[in-house]
Amino acid sequence: MALAFTALPAAAQVQPVTGDGPVAVPAPTAAAPVPAPTPAPAPAPAAPGTAGAATTDRPVDFSSDVVVYDSQADVLTANGRVRMSSEGNYLAADQISWDRKTGKVVALGNVVVVNPQGDKLIGDRVDLTDELRQGTVDNLLYVMESGARLAARRGSRDANGVLTLEKAVYSPCPVTTECGRAKEPSWKISAARVVNDPVRHRIRFSGGRFEILGITLPLLPIFSISTGDRSQGMNGFLLPDVKVSRRNGFELALPYHWQIAPNRDLTVTPRVFTAVYPALEAQYRELNSLGAYQIGGFLTYGDRRVLATDPKDDGIRAYVEGNGKFQFDPLWSLTTSFRYATDKTLLLRYDISRDERLRSFTNLERIDTNSYVSIAAWAFQGLLVTDDNKMAPIALPAIDARWRLEDPAFGGVIQLQANSLAILRREGQDSQRAFVSAEWNKRMLTPLGQELLLTAFGRGDIYHTSDSASTATAIYRGEDGWHGRAIGALAADLKWPFVGPAFGGEQILSPRVQVVLTPAVPNLTIPNEDSRSVDLEDSNLFALNRFSGYDRWEDGSRVTYGLDWTLQRPNLAINTTIGQSYRLNRRDVIFPDGTGLSGQLSDIVGRTRIQFGRLIDVTHRYRLDKKTLGVRRNELDLTIGTDATYVRAGYIRLNRNISQSIEDLQDSEELQLAGRWQVRRHWSVYGSTVIDLTDKQEDPLSIADGFDPVRHRLGIEYEDDCLSIGFSWRKDYVQLYGQRQGSTFQFRVALKGLGR
């Protein structure tokens, strides 16, 4: 950028002031004659901050369109696109006047000051030192690197970068629309005095008030917020949580956050209720060189009865949980999680969780490209009335190791596995197992375009069982003592895709046939701990073993056949699959009647998914009885609409007629509905319901009458990019250990943008 010089009266001395580099002095004009040179001219004034300056020796980069220097007053004035920068501080203005004697810099017109952190200060007039670090501003706008803004009548910044504002307004919300039009922020804070400390990452307000959606709310006389990320957090109270429920009455929670260190924090939340004793909740989090973990807890005093008819049992009620992951090196890591409650009703009573079972585990893993090792331990706690936790299993240890090898002889891949598991109970059956296995797979394409997968599998097991008679379900027990078995299987899976045009798009039709050859295996002498939930579905139709775990193996050779069909066209996609299997022998099988796998011929299973653009997505899964074609499993998931306005429906009916003596496989029927309607750009109403449609036909032991509501929920919500407000109502119809839970009302406010 070239620099020009304005001529002064003859009494003044004029010298070029360098900024971007050497410049030529313009020719003299009649209107402004330039005095003749003298033998000893006065030295040229140095640029601000150079060695010639009286106030500082820090370098300042400088440029402008026009520069005027008054040597008598020792004042330099720059006009037109003036730019100054020093040690990461940047200044731009229409005019700058620099007094070299005092070191004062006055910037006028469209002034912009940027600090090394990226925060931007905009004002009409800015008074600064020549280091550009401290000064005062009139009618300023302070734009932080995070996008938050502070506007004030007047402000000053000291040498440490602390900005003090008078009569200021703060908001992290955008003040313009996407089209560039001005708009009011969703929420803002007005205060008589605001202090922004960039070192402590804190903004402190004195005499402040909240304004949310145009409604002014009073605040404490002095409060502060953090402008840093979580590692630079601060201590203080967070937004309160308000809730009203039939069980606990009015509830008020006021969290307090303590930033112990940049990598550690603690949040303590006192909770006060009108219908029960108060409670205390806490959460500790830490991030260190090995990983991260968090530990939380809930503590109160109250009635611990499971059923309303039980004698009253007041005492300490507590819940603890934690999880974390630690990476010791690129291969070894430790993942852990634990959950424990002192009684069965605590979690539901205080809306902590709706889980029916708590799980705790620790897992040490080693993972590389071709191997995997896991050493784990598991424990469980049941929260249902019928759960006897003395019979809950504890898996210690659970060891699993796998290796993948390239087959040098026949091609393909070999996977080796070694596994051991010990299951202990305080009361009940104990069991231990160990096995080793090898699996070979080779995938190839035939000259006709068929995809062929060949598999060979072998496994050897050793089991030990004690106290098997204490297991109520006979088919899960096994027999006491030591038992061994050998498992082998050969399989070939053939797909033949045909591609061609159809209905204005492209279709792929893929017939599929799988043959599995496996001899008889002694299953019933082995205890069943991990293979109890079994059901024929489209997801396991072509599996080598259609049991979910290791304790049961599907013996008997079989042929499985099916068809996959896909249609792709603009705004329409259809994917469907259907299949069935046929057993090659007539031996009795261990699958319970009703699972779809008993007998020589299996039931028919299928799945169809239809997507119409982004507006309609429906998935239907089904299982048809092999003899009557009656629907044994009917499952539908439907979504209509966009992310903002939609309707979702989920329906499932299991009508398998499985014996009531078998756990984990009971029939049921349920309908779930949910929807959201965006009434305006930021306002939405939503609702959901869960209805139990189970009757005596699905479950003879069920107490449902065929149409029992489980849970209703309605709410209204406002949400934009910096504010979320919601009010919801929920009614639970399911009894909580003999007592109805009733209605719960909750009001929630979340202020976004309170941090970088």
Side-chain angles (χ1 to χ4, degrees), residues 524-539:
L524 296 182
T525 58
I526 302 298
N528 184 359
E529 297 280 5
D530 64 3
S531 303
R532 299 184 178 185
S533 182
V534 56
D535 197 12
L536 180 62
E537 303 176 9
D538 63 283
S539 60

Side-chain angles (χ1 to χ4, degrees), residues 299-351:
L299 179 66
T300 187
Y301 183 88
D303 190 355
R304 299 176 298 193
R305 286 182 296 178
V306 175
L307 297 174
T309 56
D310 294 341
K312 193 170 184 181
D313 179 22
D314 288 343
I316 298 296
R317 313 185 71 186
Y319 168 70
V320 292
E321 65 177 358
N323 60 75
K325 183 164 186 178
F326 307 94
Q327 194 75 38
F328 303 114
D329 60 35
L331 301 181
W332 285 96
S333 66
L334 176 68
T335 305
T336 183
S337 174
F338 64 88
R339 303 176 70 191
Y340 175 76
T342 55
D343 55 89
K344 294 182 177 181
T345 63
L346 175 67
L347 270 63
L348 277 176
R349 178 65 186 262
Y350 293 94
D351 267 342

Side-chain angles (χ1 to χ4, degrees), residues 458-479:
R459 195 176 94 191
D461 301 350
I462 297 177
Y463 277 81
H464 179 266
T465 305
S466 60
D467 201 8
S468 60
S470 61
T471 299
T473 305
I475 63 172
Y476 296 158
R477 293 175 184 167
E479 298 178 1

Side-chain angles (χ1 to χ4, degrees), residues 158-219:
D158 62 19
N160 296 321
V162 177
L163 183 66
T164 302
L165 308 177
E166 307 295 336
K167 296 182 180 180
V169 178
Y170 167 83
S171 178
C173 307
V175 294
T176 58
T177 64
E178 296 178 355
C179 301
R181 297 180 180 178
K183 71 169 186 176
E184 281 292 318
S186 302
W187 69 269
K188 61 184 179 181
I189 302 175
S190 302
R193 180 182 174 87
V194 176
V195 178
N196 178 27
D197 189 339
V199 177
R200 302 177 63 188
H201 301 280
R202 175 182 296 187
I203 299 179
R204 183 182 178 89
F205 299 86
S206 299
R209 292 178 178 270
F210 259 128
E211 185 176 316
I212 301 179
L213 299 179
I215 302 174
T216 302
L217 304 175
L219 278 181

Side-chain angles (χ1 to χ4, degrees), residues 43 128 151 250 252 272 299 378 414 422 450 487 500 513 516 569 583 616 658 688 694 698 729:
L128 296 168
F250 179 82
L252 175 63
V272 181
L299 179 66
W378 299 78
I414 298 175
Q450 300 153 330
I487 298 172
V513 178
V516 178
R569 56 165 298 171
R583 201 171 301 279
I616 299 177
I658 298 178
S688 63
T694 307
E698 284 92 17
W729 163 78

Side-chain angles (χ1 to χ4, degrees), residues 71-399:
S71 60
Q72 293 181 351
D74 204 6
V75 174
L76 184 146
T77 303
N79 292 279
R81 294 180 292 181
V82 185
R83 306 292 185 264
M84 297 178 66
S85 62
S86 174
E87 297 183 341
N89 295 279
Y90 173 82
L91 171 65
D94 293 339
Q95 183 184 77
I96 290 179
S97 175
W98 174 51
D99 189 330
R100 297 181 66 246
K101 295 179 180 178
T102 63
K104 181 179 180 181
V105 177
V106 178
L108 300 173
N110 300 313
V111 183
V112 177
V113 180
V114 182
N115 64 14
Q117 291 74 35
D119 299 333
K120 184 184 299 183
L121 189 150
I122 303 172
D124 297 333
R125 175 189 171 99
V126 178
D127 294 354
L128 296 168
T129 64
D130 53 8
E131 298 175 0
L132 307 182
R133 291 183 178 181
Q134 56 186 348
T136 61
V137 188
D138 293 331
N139 297 323
L140 70 89
L141 173 64
Y142 183 62
V143 183
M144 303 179 191
E145 185 270 339
S146 62
R149 290 169 169 82
L150 270 167
R153 293 279 184 89
R154 183 176 176 84
S156 61
R157 187 172 70 178
D158 62 19
N160 296 321
V162 177
L163 183 66
T164 302
L165 308 177
E166 307 295 336
K167 296 182 180 180
V169 178
Y170 167 83
S171 178
C173 307
V175 294
T176 58
T177 64
E178 296 178 355
C179 301
R181 297 180 180 178
K183 71 169 186 176
E184 281 292 318
S186 302
W187 69 269
K188 61 184 179 181
I189 302 175
S190 302
R193 180 182 174 87
V194 176
V195 178
N196 178 27
D197 189 339
V199 177
R200 302 177 63 188
H201 301 280
R202 175 182 296 187
I203 299 179
R204 183 182 178 89
F205 299 86
S206 299
R209 292 178 178 270
F210 259 128
E211 185 176 316
I212 301 179
L213 299 179
I215 302 174
T216 302
L217 304 175
L219 278 181
L220 297 175
I222 298 177
F223 70 101
S224 58
I225 62 176
S226 172
T227 60
D229 54 29
R230 286 192 170 186
S231 67
Q232 301 164 335
M234 55 176 290
N235 305 332
F237 289 98
L238 307 180
L239 289 175
D241 185 18
V242 178
K243 188 184 300 183
V244 179
S245 66
R246 182 178 181 271
R247 302 185 306 274
N248 301 326
F250 179 82
E251 175 185 350
L252 175 63
L254 186 60
Y256 181 84
H257 180 79
W258 178 24
Q259 190 71 39
I260 303 172
N263 65 321
R264 301 194 302 273
D265 63 38
L266 174 66
T267 302
V268 179
T269 307
R271 296 183 179 272
V272 181
F273 310 89
T274 57
V276 293
Y277 290 104
L280 185 65
E281 186 177 359
Q283 183 186 50
Y284 175 82
R285 302 180 302 178
E286 180 174 331
L287 174 67
N288 54 44
S289 59
L290 294 179
Y293 69 93
Q294 59 182 356
I295 301 173
F298 183 93
L299 179 66
T300 187
Y301 183 88
D303 190 355
R304 299 176 298 193
R305 286 182 296 178
V306 175
L307 297 174
T309 56
D310 294 341
K312 193 170 184 181
D313 179 22
D314 288 343
I316 298 296
R317 313 185 71 186
Y319 168 70
V320 292
E321 65 177 358
N323 60 75
K325 183 164 186 178
F326 307 94
Q327 194 75 38
F328 303 114
D329 60 35
L331 301 181
W332 285 96
S333 66
L334 176 68
T335 305
T336 183
S337 174
F338 64 88
R339 303 176 70 191
Y340 175 76
T342 55
D343 55 89
K344 294 182 177 181
T345 63
L346 175 67
L347 270 63
L348 277 176
R349 178 65 186 262
Y350 293 94
D351 267 342
I352 300 173
S353 171
R354 296 182 176 274
D355 293 337
E356 297 177 351
R357 180 177 298 170
L358 302 183
R359 182 183 66 175
S360 301
F361 73 91
T362 297
N363 189 12
L364 179 65
E365 295 176 292
R366 184 188 185 277
I367 305 174
D368 65 16
T369 305
N370 292 305
S371 67
Y372 171 78
V373 177
S374 169
I375 305 173
W378 299 78
F380 303 89
Q381 181 185 10
L383 301 180
L384 297 178
V385 177
T386 55
D387 288 334
D388 183 359
N389 286 312
K390 292 181 179 179
M391 300 187 68
I394 300 174
L396 179 69
I399 302 174

